[in-house]
Structures are given as structure tokens and as C-alpha cells.
Amino acid sequence: MRIVKPESLHQQAYHIIKSEILEGVYQPSERIVEAKAASKLGISRGPVREAIRMLIQDGLLVYNDGYVKVYTPTVQDVVDLFQCRESLEALAISLAIHNISEMEKEKLQENLVASYQANEKKDIIELGKLDQAFHDMIIYASKNKQLTELLEMIRAKIHYMRSNMVKENFYPTLVEEHEKIIDLLFSGDERGAQEYIRQHIKKGLDGVLMHIDKNASK
């Protein structure tokens, strides 16, 4: 992939490199060489340098032994991030109950239908995308910009961890739980929705930890 437009080169470089990190093009602990990345993208080193700075702020790149390297998550990092996500998404759904639009409700229903279809086909990649989109829609429906920005960083790291530490399927009741979350959201049950989405995210953490432990014991 190369830069095709002249404007906002550092933003384009940021999104491309970030996408490649999340999708596993770059592996944990792999060095990111500024000159090499610039040559690959077909741009000068300045925008790449700024993109790298932004990715360090996101926590996806780190300085290690004098080099810029891809972040290597630990099991404790996984736990810490899911704990943050649990509290923030509970707040997001509480706000969404009061702020969600009819169009956003329709989009959630469409996502649910597509998720059931992907689950029946055992399309793990598509189900993963739909799962992320489902949570994104609830977060955006909160209409809280600061909350959205905080969760964007957390979700990017969790996506990266899933890609690099977990290769197995989602747990079987994922889509049914999404349906229950929608029911609680649409009915205005704020306390019930908060508690249920907390349990939903805890179950996701348990699944990730189980797969990490299983893979480590092989």
C-alpha cells in the first residue's frame, strides 16, 4: 500500500502503519525503520517520523534499546485494558440509552442480523469485524467525544492483542449476548444494560486469557 494523495501525509502514513500493525504485517518487537517505512510508502521521512510519534502516543510503538519497535503485550496488559474497557463501555451504554438515534438503532439491528449470518457460516474474520462495529456503534451513540477517543486507543490495542495472542474463534454465545444488549439498550434499562455489558466484556477477557494459557502450554 502506498500514499496516493498529497495532503495530510503524516495522517495517511499513521493510518497505514497502524493498520499494518493491527493486522499483523508487523510483528511484536519488530523494529520500525523510518527510512524503510518512508520508502515503502513513497514519501519523505518527515511525515513517517510524525506518524511514528503518533503511534508511540497510542502505545502501539515503543522505544526499546534505542530503537522504535512494535509493542509486545503481556498478559497483565490484556487484563488492565479489559478492565478499563469494561468501565468505559458501561458508561458509554448508559449515555447511549439517552442519546441514541433511530438510525443508529437500525444500524445495530442490521449488525445483529449480519452477525448471526457470519456466525452460522463460521466466518471468524467477518464476525470479528462485526463485533468491533457493534461496540463502536454503542460508543458513538453515547455522543461523548472524550469517551470515544479514550476507547479508540483501548480498542486498537485489544484488537492488536487478539490478532497476535489469540487465534481461536469467539465464544459461542457472543451474538446472543449482543442481542440481549440491544434489548436492554432499546428498553431504556440503564442499570441492566450497564451490568450486562460488564459481564459481556468480562467473558471476552476470560476467553482471551484461556486461549493465551492454552497456547502457552503447547
Side-chain angles (χ1 to χ4, degrees):
M1 188 180 297
R2 292 172 65 88
I3 297 293
V4 295
K5 295 181 180 180
E7 71 272 16
S8 304
L9 291 181
H10 71 281
Q11 285 285 352
Q12 292 184 67
Y14 165 77
H15 289 299
I16 291 171
I17 297 171
K18 179 179 179 180
S19 176
E20 290 179 337
I21 292 171
L22 295 180
E23 299 307 323
V25 175
Y26 293 106
Q27 296 299 305
S29 297
E30 182 176 345
R31 280 185 61 191
I32 302 294
V33 180
E34 188 180 290
K36 185 176 179 181
S39 176
K40 179 180 177 181
L41 295 171
I43 58 175
S44 65
R45 293 170 62 173
V48 172
R49 188 177 305 118
E50 177 62 16
I52 287 173
R53 185 192 66 78
M54 294 166 68
L55 288 163
I56 289 172
Q57 285 187 329
D58 287 351
L60 292 174
L61 295 179
V62 295
Y63 278 116
N64 192 334
D65 298 326
Y67 300 106
V68 176
K69 296 183 179 181
V70 178
Y71 164 64
T72 302
T74 66
V75 172
Q76 188 58 50
D77 289 338
V78 176
V79 174
D80 291 347
L81 282 168
F82 268 86
Q83 287 176 341
C84 291
R85 180 189 175 193
E86 180 190 324
S87 293
L88 291 173
E89 287 206 32
L91 173 58
I93 200 165
S94 176
L95 294 172
I97 283 174
H98 302 286
N99 296 316
I100 192 168
S101 68
E102 290 303 315
M103 182 176 293
E104 287 170 327
K105 288 182 178 181
E106 291 175 9
K107 292 293 184 182
L108 277 170
Q109 292 283 22
E110 291 170 4
N111 177 281
L112 182 65
V113 171
S115 296
Y116 271 116
Q117 293 172 344
N119 198 38
E120 289 175 4
K121 296 175 183 176
K122 301 187 185 303
D123 189 338
I124 309 306
I125 294 175
E126 181 63 16
L127 185 57
K129 292 177 181 177
L130 289 164
D131 175 50
Q132 183 164 324
F134 177 84
H135 287 272
D136 286 349
M137 282 187 270
I138 292 174
I139 293 163
Y140 295 143
S142 74
K143 306 297 191 294
N144 185 310
K145 183 180 178 182
Q146 297 302 318
L147 179 60
T148 301
E149 290 178 357
L150 285 169
L151 277 163
E152 169 61 29
M153 185 182 299
I154 290 172
R155 289 183 304 100
K157 275 194 170 184
I158 288 175
H159 176 71
Y160 170 69
M161 289 173 179
R162 282 187 183 276
S163 299
N164 287 281
M165 301 173 79
V166 181
K167 305 300 181 184
E168 286 83 355
N169 196 356
F170 292 86
Y171 59 90
T173 59
L174 174 83
V175 184
E176 287 85 352
E177 290 179 21
H178 282 190
E179 184 170 14
K180 178 65 174 178
I181 290 168
I182 288 176
D183 289 343
L184 291 166
L185 174 60
F186 289 5
S187 69
D189 184 351
E190 190 169 340
R191 181 176 295 181
Q194 284 187 312
E195 180 58 31
Y196 197 84
I197 204 164
R198 282 181 178 275
Q199 295 303 319
H200 176 68
I201 292 170
K202 283 178 180 175
K203 189 176 289 187
L205 171 60
D206 290 342
V208 170
L209 294 177
M210 179 186 68
H211 290 312
I212 290 172
D213 183 63
K214 184 169 67 175
N215 291 335
S217 64
K218 287 182 180 179

